[in-house]
Amino acid sequence: MENMFNNLKKTMDGTILKDIEFSEQSKDKVRRTVINSKHKKQFHLKYKLNYLLSVCVSCLLLFGLGYFSFTKLGLLDENKNSTITDDTRQNLNTSQNGKKSDSIYIPPAAKEYYGDMTKEEIISKMLNTPSHFITATGKFEQRDIYKDETGSTIFTDYKISTKDKIGGYVKFTNTSYEKNEIVEIEEVIHNTDQMWYINNIRNTYREQKYNPKEMKGTVTLQEALSVNINKLDNEIYVKQKDWEMPPIGTAGLSLYPYHMAVIYLGDFNQWDIEKQNEELLGHNTIVLQGKFNGENRMQEVDTFRFWIDKDTGILVKYEMHDTNGKLTGYLHPEELKVNVPIDYKDFEPHLDGYNMEEVDTEFPFKDPREADIEVVEQADYYKDEVDAVLNLLRKDIPFLYEFTHPDIELYSASYEKYKIYNHAYLTYSYKKDKNEDGSGSRLLYVRAYHKDSIVHSWSDFDTKKGKQLEDFNINGIEWKGFELDNQNAHFIGKSNDYIYEVVSQNITPQETKALIPSFKVSN
């Protein structure tokens, strides 16, 4: 309220009251009126009524004048969610000397929606949030509690502008759940030309060129459900809509919740609208609650509740519970403002005291030709998806070998391609304990490729080899073995024009060699 009246006199003197002249004659008239009023002892009833009527009329006039003044100055707005009128927004984008500001951008005001929404309309909003807001600022806390009682808590603070001058800023602080210790503090900043990754613990930063894209068209639920969830970004948004989610880090979970929409709301029979209208941080949200029948690798999730902003589709808040009703994950917001003024200076990093990391961001490879390697298909964890990729590898790669030992279980499969050459990548779990989730801790990494092909250099196969083991020949492959640190091993085999590599994790060289006889030509 105090800020509302700052410089009010000066503003009114220069606008509404600028043409009013208060002469010395006027001042004398006021003084005489005040002095004479002191000598009046009695009023006739008629004059009393006239006096009271005059006071009432004066108050009404003053109230009307005040309301008109404040409205013209942009201090009042009938829209309860905005304190700036559309006309004033344009005026504020101009400096005092009449020139348009190069720093501040003020978008049209957001308007809350209070009509009832259907399930289809909710999904559409969540899949297409870039079409429903221009700028946003916010803060929220996100917590995930995993099945092994570990977890993390991330506090996110962000600002983003998606049109006019595009840019964004996000800072996230990651704290371990079990130890309550800060693990990382990072910032990601981008504008229309550049992107910066800033590590506030190591006081280092990386930068690279950035070319933002504006989303065109809309995505339907049918389109989203037609592709593998792991490829939703690539196949739906990049290829069909020529759009990529801005590098907004953890803030994307709230601002661009299309993954959550597909995973949790794709089956309309598993969730319901609990409440059509509920105010949250000044936004009108629709509350959804449902049961999760999918598979979550890390967390136990049985039921969920979402709070969706009805105007934009932004996921303002969510909570996850296990079968016992225990909270296993949440996003709790502290602040969310949509279509508010943005200062583009916030999208410029302050790097004093920070050192640039020595990273070649354009070609982060040992061999620049690696940039031409294409990932054709990839899957892990989910058996049906992994089997589908494996069958594709069997079909396209006649030189494929697989482990057949009963203690070895396929965990992931990847199909890559460099020009005319196909590559196969397989990851196996070895003697995985029944209580272990995911891949387990004992692994065998396998890849097969043509000797003239280019393969990635940053993977698990780029090892620092130690003592060479005895050569041997099994199942048509000539093998050379090497010891690695931590009692692991790297075996490299050759058969005609093809190379086979096996790298162990938490499996000794002796154990790994004993498993090689079960590495046979694929059926």
Side-chain angles (χ1 to χ4, degrees):
M1 181 63 75
E2 180 181 353
N3 294 332
M4 181 182 295
F5 295 100
N6 285 345
N7 302 317
L8 179 60
K9 179 182 182 301
K10 181 178 179 181
T11 303
M12 295 182 70
D13 287 345
T15 54
I16 298 170
L17 304 179
K18 65 179 180 179
D19 296 326
I20 298 178
E21 181 178 355
F22 202 58
S23 63
E24 285 296 321
Q25 183 178 0
S26 300
K27 295 178 183 178
D28 288 337
K29 185 175 180 179
V30 171
R31 294 190 189 100
R32 286 195 300 272
T33 302
V34 172
I35 293 173
N36 290 336
S37 65
K38 292 181 179 179
H39 298 292
K40 293 180 181 180
K41 301 296 182 181
Q42 295 179 345
F43 286 96
H44 189 274
L45 179 61
K46 174 181 178 181
Y47 294 105
K48 286 185 179 181
L49 293 174
N50 289 338
Y51 173 76
L52 291 174
L53 181 61
S54 298
V55 170
C56 293
V57 171
S58 298
C59 290
L60 289 173
L61 289 173
L62 286 173
F63 177 80
L65 178 61
Y67 181 84
F68 176 79
S69 302
F70 289 140
T71 302
K72 285 296 182 182
L73 291 173
L75 298 176
L76 292 176
D77 194 328
E78 293 180 358
N79 186 342
K80 70 177 183 178
N81 295 304
S82 175
T83 58
I84 304 177
T85 65
D86 290 338
D87 291 339
T88 307
R89 286 172 177 270
Q90 299 299 323
N91 295 334
L92 287 176
N93 216 14
T94 304
S95 59
Q96 290 183 351
N97 59 11
K99 295 181 180 179
K100 186 176 180 179
S101 170
D102 292 330
S103 177
I104 306 295
Y105 171 60
I106 303 172
K111 297 181 180 179
E112 296 301 324
Y113 179 68
Y114 292 90
D116 287 353
M117 295 182 71
T118 64
K119 291 185 175 182
E120 290 81 0
E121 290 172 331
I122 298 167
I123 293 284
S124 180
K125 280 284 180 75
M126 295 179 71
L127 290 174
N128 298 281
T129 55
S131 302
H132 301 295
F133 75 90
I134 300 174
T135 70
T137 67
K139 300 176 183 179
F140 63 80
E141 180 184 286
Q142 176 195 352
R143 173 169 289 184
D144 294 310
I145 304 171
Y146 306 130
K147 295 175 182 178
D148 60 0
E149 296 301 323
T150 63
S152 65
T153 302
I154 300 176
F155 184 81
T156 300
D157 184 353
Y158 65 86
K159 298 179 181 180
I160 187 172
S161 174
T162 63
K163 294 183 180 179
D164 197 56
K165 290 184 179 180
I166 296 174
Y169 163 87
V170 61
K171 179 178 181 180
F172 53 92
T173 303
N174 189 355
T175 304
S176 66
Y177 168 72
E178 62 275 15
K179 296 182 180 180
N180 196 29
E181 296 177 351
I182 293 178
V183 178
E184 60 181 344
I185 305 175
E186 291 192 1
E187 298 175 62
V188 181
I189 303 173
H190 73 275
N191 54 36
T192 53
D193 302 309
Q194 204 82 356
M195 179 164 50
W196 295 266
Y197 297 90
I198 303 171
N199 189 302
N200 289 319
I201 293 181
R202 297 196 303 266
N203 289 334
T204 59
Y205 71 94
R206 293 181 288 120
E207 63 180 22
Q208 67 184 67
K209 294 293 184 181
Y210 179 66
N211 182 26
K213 297 181 179 180
E214 185 174 331
M215 185 171 173
K216 301 173 183 178
T218 58
V219 176
T220 66
L221 179 61
Q222 288 70 28
E223 288 177 321
L225 291 176
S226 67
V227 300
N228 187 308
I229 185 63
N230 298 321
K231 299 179 181 179
L232 187 61
D233 299 320
N234 192 42
E235 294 194 11
I236 291 294
Y237 291 94
V238 176
K239 292 183 180 179
Q240 295 186 23
K241 308 301 176 184
D242 193 29
W243 177 79
E244 294 175 324
M245 185 172 76
I248 200 68
T250 51
L253 183 65
S254 173
L255 295 176
Y256 306 102
Y258 45 87
H259 283 98
M260 302 291 278
V262 173
I263 294 173
Y264 290 91
L265 306 179
D267 185 351
F268 283 12
N269 295 323
Q270 297 301 314
W271 60 279
D272 295 297
I273 298 173
E274 182 179 284
K275 193 173 182 181
Q276 277 285 348
N277 298 291
E278 181 171 314
E279 184 175 348
L280 181 59
L281 293 178
H283 297 274
N284 188 46
T285 68
I286 186 168
V287 185
L288 317 177
Q289 62 86 24
K291 187 172 180 62
F292 180 60
N293 287 332
E295 187 173 5
N296 190 307
R297 306 183 189 185
M298 304 295 291
Q299 293 170 268
E300 183 179 345
V301 178
D302 181 59
T303 60
F304 62 88
R305 182 172 277 105
F306 290 171
W307 286 257
I308 310 296
D309 178 39
K310 297 180 77 170
D311 182 50
T312 63
I314 291 174
L315 178 57
V316 185
K317 177 181 177 180
Y318 73 72
E319 291 181 347
M320 311 288 188
H321 294 85
D322 63 16
T323 53
N324 297 318
K326 178 183 177 182
L327 193 65
T328 59
Y330 63 75
L331 186 154
H332 286 172
E334 179 181 321
E335 174 185 296
L336 174 63
K337 298 179 180 179
V338 177
N339 284 9
V340 292
I342 289 289
D343 189 341
Y344 293 118
K345 292 180 181 179
D346 291 335
F347 306 145
E348 300 173 0
H350 302 285
L351 301 175
D352 293 342
Y354 288 78
N355 299 316
M356 178 183 287
E357 293 183 8
E358 297 296 330
V359 176
D360 186 345
T361 55
E362 186 174 4
F363 288 109
F365 317 112
K366 288 185 177 181
D367 188 332
R369 291 176 296 177
E370 294 179 44
D372 295 326
I373 297 174
E374 174 191 0
V375 178
V376 180
E377 290 290 345
Q378 191 277 332
D380 58 22
Y381 190 81
Y382 298 105
K383 188 177 185 306
D384 56 341
E385 296 179 7
V386 174
D387 288 344
V389 178
L390 178 60
N391 289 330
L392 189 60
L393 291 172
R394 288 170 174 168
K395 173 178 174 292
D396 292 354
I397 301 181
F399 56 89
L400 183 66
Y401 274 63
E402 301 175 46
F403 274 106
T404 58
H405 195 282
D407 290 335
I408 296 177
E409 177 185 353
L410 184 63
Y411 174 75
S412 72
S414 179
Y415 181 176
E416 296 188 0
K417 189 180 187 72
Y418 174 75
K419 296 185 177 180
I420 63 172
Y421 301 109
N422 296 332
H423 309 160
Y425 286 80
L426 302 172
T427 302
Y428 293 91
S429 302
Y430 177 58
K431 291 185 176 180
K432 187 176 73 173
D433 189 280
K434 293 182 180 180
N435 295 324
E436 285 186 295
D437 187 51
S439 65
S441 60
R442 309 184 75 188
L443 302 173
L444 289 170
Y445 300 100
V446 176
R447 73 174 170 185
Y449 54 95
H450 193 279
K451 64 181 180 61
D452 296 331
S453 183
I454 298 298
V455 292
H456 280 308
S457 59
W458 63 54
S459 68
D460 302 283
F461 302 92
D462 188 19
T463 61
K464 185 176 181 180
K465 301 172 183 62
K467 177 183 175 181
Q468 182 173 346
L469 305 173
E470 183 180 357
D471 296 348
F472 59 97
N473 188 315
I474 294 179
N475 297 332
I477 300 177
E478 297 177 359
W479 292 96
K480 293 182 180 293
F482 301 88
E483 291 183 352
L484 304 179
D485 294 337
N486 301 319
Q487 290 296 305
N488 295 318
H490 189 167
F491 287 88
I492 303 174
K494 184 177 180 181
S495 177
N496 297 321
D497 292 332
Y498 302 102
I499 307 296
Y500 302 88
E501 297 185 61
V502 177
V503 176
S504 67
Q505 174 182 301
N506 296 329
I507 306 174
T508 66
Q510 293 73 27
E511 286 181 285
T512 306
K513 184 177 179 181
L515 295 170
I516 295 294
S518 70
F519 191 67
K520 299 179 180 180
V521 177
S522 176
N523 293 322

